Amino acid sequence: MAATLASKSLVFTVRRQPPELIAPAEPTPHELKLLSDIDDQEGVRFQIPIIQFYRNNPSMGMGGRDPVMVIREAIARTLVFYYPFAGRLREGPARKLMVDCTGEGVMFIEANADVTLDQFGDALQPPFPCLEELLFDVPGSGAILNCPLLLIQVTRMRCGGFIVALRLNHTMSDAAGLVQFMRAVGEMAQGASSLSLHPVWQRELLSARNPPRVTCIHREYDEVPDLNGTIMPLDDMVHDSFFFGPAEISALRKLVPAHLRRCSTFEVLTACIWRYRTIALQANPEEEVRIICIVNARGKFKPPLIPSGYYGNAFAIPVAISTAGKLCQNPLGYALELVMKAKADVTEEYMRSLADLMVIKGRPHFAGVRTYLVSDVTRAGFEEVDFGWGKAVYGGPAKGGVGVIPGVISFYIPFTNKKGERGIIVPFCLPAPVMERFMTQLHSMLNNNTNRLTNVENKTSAFIASAL
């Protein structure tokens, strides 16, 4: 099977072998394992794409070994420990999800691309216009139920480097849990006989109490009617990425009032993007708009709510709410205070109340009307995953706008530009006219607060256009 890919500057061919199933290398238990009540909410019942680019690095000691063969074997050995990934998801009464540990395996694709890593350019960033061929959507494999829970494609490049792309059923793991699994594969690929961190299932730790009782306010799950057709229009959607380096973050911090100067980079960046995205959407000033922040529960509480090695979803999604008019007309400090308060709402009781709400309300989706969600994976460690050829040149989400409702979610991804500046790349997915206005707003704001505006390619526009 071959497909020719083209962008403005890059044309190459990907040849794939037929997909196969990789089962655990040894017999594993055949059992039913319940997901947690955080795992099986409607808002995470989707597939998430991840992509990793690796250089050919002979000095790392892999001695001309084939990355496809090495990783294929390592996956089989890792699945002995992470055997639920080799099963299939079933749905029980009250929409409760569970893993049927059948041992069928994860889906794997071997491929070759007639391209070198250098041809992608110095700045690899999402969205990747070749994603649909580097992570092929095998027909019939992408449903949430009764399908492989992981799809992994390893593509050799002509230069000796390779690409590892995977698609995860999000109900199984969050970013931290997926990276834990990928690191385990990396250890096995490098010859380990056991894992440095053993997986912990224990999904009951984030399941509802008996009887369930909602004790906190969870407005992220409000039922918001779309009376004015204001869910994101899905026609003419475009994907772009913006690099926020030290100069851009410094420019944002100049807008922060003195009493909020201790805010985190995540908080000020989120407040900025929420405000200028809302301006670009030209929302009705009287309508409510929302920003949802993913808050990781790992290590947040003392004693810890979940143990080391837990690889399920362990996050809450608190929401900040404002009318569009107040958000757009007030200084940045207004949005920043709302974001900071939303994050602070997440306590251990909040997590337990959230699990209870899922059972009581039938595992609802978060409110999607006039909502924007941001997920910070700068500390997840995707780029640290090493299969024996060194760390990834790029590692992380393959694009923004994923999820049940397209265009709602963006990721904050660690990134180093060709000048060596460490920063955050943020992929966006918006209708083309909105994206143009959004670009203009960011350009104007940053130009007013710094003497330079940079992107990963150091061009005049802050956005990197994609053919995706």
Side-chain angles (χ1 to χ4, degrees), residues 359-394:
V359 170
I360 290 171
K361 289 199 171 184
R363 314 184 196 285
H365 196 288
F366 60 83
V369 178
R370 298 180 298 277
T371 295
Y372 181 49
L373 186 150
V374 292
S375 177
D376 182 1
V377 298
T378 56
R379 298 179 185 178
F382 284 108
E383 75 282 8
E384 302 291 324
V385 174
D386 182 356
F387 298 105
W389 285 265
K391 297 178 181 178
V393 180
Y394 171 88

Side-chain angles (χ1 to χ4, degrees), residues 21-289:
L21 290 174
I22 299 181
E26 301 173 12
T28 55
H30 190 168
E31 58 189 351
L32 284 174
K33 299 180 82 70
L34 296 177
L35 295 186
S36 81
D37 290 315
I38 304 295
D39 291 323
D40 62 7
Q41 58 185 296
E42 186 65 34
V44 295
R45 295 189 183 200
F46 68 93
Q47 308 280 357
I48 187 165
I50 302 294
I51 194 164
Q52 313 276 113
F53 287 79
Y54 292 91
R55 291 194 181 280
N56 179 20
N57 195 342
S59 66
M60 297 302 293
M62 294 306 276
R65 297 181 67 193
D66 178 12
V68 170
M69 301 299 291
V70 169
I71 294 172
R72 179 194 280 118
E73 180 182 338
I75 291 169
R77 295 175 61 208
T78 305
L79 287 174
V80 174
F81 301 92
Y82 286 86
Y83 64 89
F85 275 130
R88 299 292 182 266
L89 217 57
R90 318 295 188 205
E91 188 174 63
R95 303 185 69 229
K96 183 64 193 174
L97 293 181
M98 61 200 76
V99 183
D100 185 359
C101 299
T102 62
E104 291 174 75
V106 303
M107 187 158 282
F108 184 85
I109 302 171
E110 172 184 350
N112 292 280
D114 183 24
V115 69
T116 67
L117 184 60
D118 289 342
Q119 285 178 271
F120 283 92
D122 293 328
L124 286 166
Q125 82 288 320
F128 298 93
C130 47
L131 178 62
E132 65 277 5
E133 296 299 335
L134 296 173
L135 182 58
F136 181 64
D137 182 13
V138 177
S141 72
I144 296 302
L145 301 178
N146 308 313
C147 283
L149 298 172
L150 278 169
L151 184 153
I152 302 171
Q153 179 172 329
V154 182
T155 303
R156 306 178 190 91
M157 289 183 285
R158 200 173 64 235
C159 58
F162 61 96
I163 301 164
V164 178
L166 62 85
R167 186 188 69 196
L168 167 72
N169 185 323
H170 199 344
T171 63
M172 287 293 291
S173 296
D174 56 15
L178 177 59
V179 168
Q180 180 180 311
F181 171 77
M182 294 172 69
R183 282 178 167 164
V185 175
E187 290 178 2
M188 289 294 177
Q190 296 180 72
S193 58
S194 62
L195 303 180
S196 61
L197 178 62
H198 280 264
V200 174
W201 184 260
Q202 291 187 18
R203 304 295 170 105
E204 69 277 4
L205 294 174
L206 290 176
S207 290
R209 295 169 285 200
N210 188 15
R213 53 192 185 277
V214 178
T215 54
C216 299
I217 297 172
H218 299 279
R219 291 207 60 195
E220 58 270 29
Y221 297 100
D222 285 352
E223 295 183 17
V224 181
D226 186 25
L227 300 177
N228 299 318
T230 49
I231 287 182
M232 184 78 66
L234 301 182
D235 54 336
D236 197 22
M237 299 289 279
V238 295
H239 292 256
D240 286 288
S241 293
F242 193 97
F243 177 69
F244 292 88
E248 289 73 29
I249 298 300
S250 177
L252 294 183
R253 287 194 173 276
K254 291 178 182 178
L255 302 173
V256 175
H259 70 288
L260 299 176
R261 289 281 164 82
R262 296 184 67 181
C263 66
S264 68
T265 295
F266 171 86
E267 289 163 347
V268 68
L269 183 56
T270 298
C272 165
I273 292 173
W274 183 31
R275 182 173 186 268
Y276 289 102
R277 183 179 182 274
T278 303
I279 292 171
L281 285 168
Q282 298 180 340
N284 183 325
E286 301 304 315
E287 289 183 330
E288 282 188 344
V289 291

Side-chain angles (χ1 to χ4, degrees), residues 400-412:
V402 299
V404 178
I405 305 174
V408 169
I409 301 176
S410 284
F411 298 98
Y412 297 173

Side-chain angles (χ1 to χ4, degrees), residues 4 44 96 102 110 153 177 292 303 347 349 380 414 425 427 464 466:
T4 299
V44 295
K96 183 64 193 174
T102 62
E110 172 184 350
Q153 179 172 329
I292 288 176
T347 62
E349 181 60 27
I425 195 92
I464 301 92
S466 166

